[in-house]
């Protein structure tokens, strides 16, 4: 597999919230770099292409868009 990321991601385990259009979905941030992250979710199909990721422990809000999705995880780039 060829690595396409511009920056290396670091493993972590933080709770987060995906917010969009008045809705919220809990997620787990599995790895992250300065440019994006991988999020574990229960239903990736319910998440729109653009949303705000809230890091629960920090209260930080980051606009994102989905780069890829699979059965239980989405890869996002920070806007």
């Amino acid at each position: 597999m060829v690595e396409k990321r511009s920056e290396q991601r670091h493993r972590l385990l933080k709770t987060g919230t995906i917010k969009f259009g008045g809705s919220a979905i809990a997620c787990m941030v599995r790895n992250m770099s300065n440019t994006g992250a991988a999020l574990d979710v229960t239903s990736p199909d319910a998440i729109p292409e653009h949303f705000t990721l809230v890091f629960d422990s920090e209260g930080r809000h980051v606009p994102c868009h989905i780069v890829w999705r699979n059965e239980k995880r989405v890869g996002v780039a920070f806007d």
Side-chain angles (χ1 to χ4, degrees):
M1 182 174 186
V2 176
E3 179 61 53
K4 296 180 183 179
R5 295 184 185 108
S6 61
E7 291 193 36
Q8 183 178 9
R9 289 195 179 171
H10 303 280
R11 291 182 185 172
L12 62 121
L13 192 59
K14 287 186 175 187
T15 60
T17 304
I18 296 168
K19 293 194 173 188
F20 57 94
S23 297
I25 297 174
C27 68
M28 186 64 64
V29 183
R30 299 302 302 210
N31 63 51
M32 186 171 69
S33 72
N34 290 330
T35 59
L39 313 174
D40 282 350
V41 295
T42 56
S43 178
D45 294 334
I47 301 169
E49 292 299 314
H50 296 271
F51 60 87
T52 299
L53 175 60
V54 179
F55 292 90
D56 295 340
S57 62
E58 305 163 20
R60 184 171 60 139
H61 293 67
V62 182
C64 302
H65 66 275
I66 293 180
V67 178
W68 57 266
R69 61 177 95 209
N70 66 23
E71 191 176 307
K72 295 287 183 184
R73 189 172 283 182
V74 294
V76 300
F78 301 144
D79 295 338

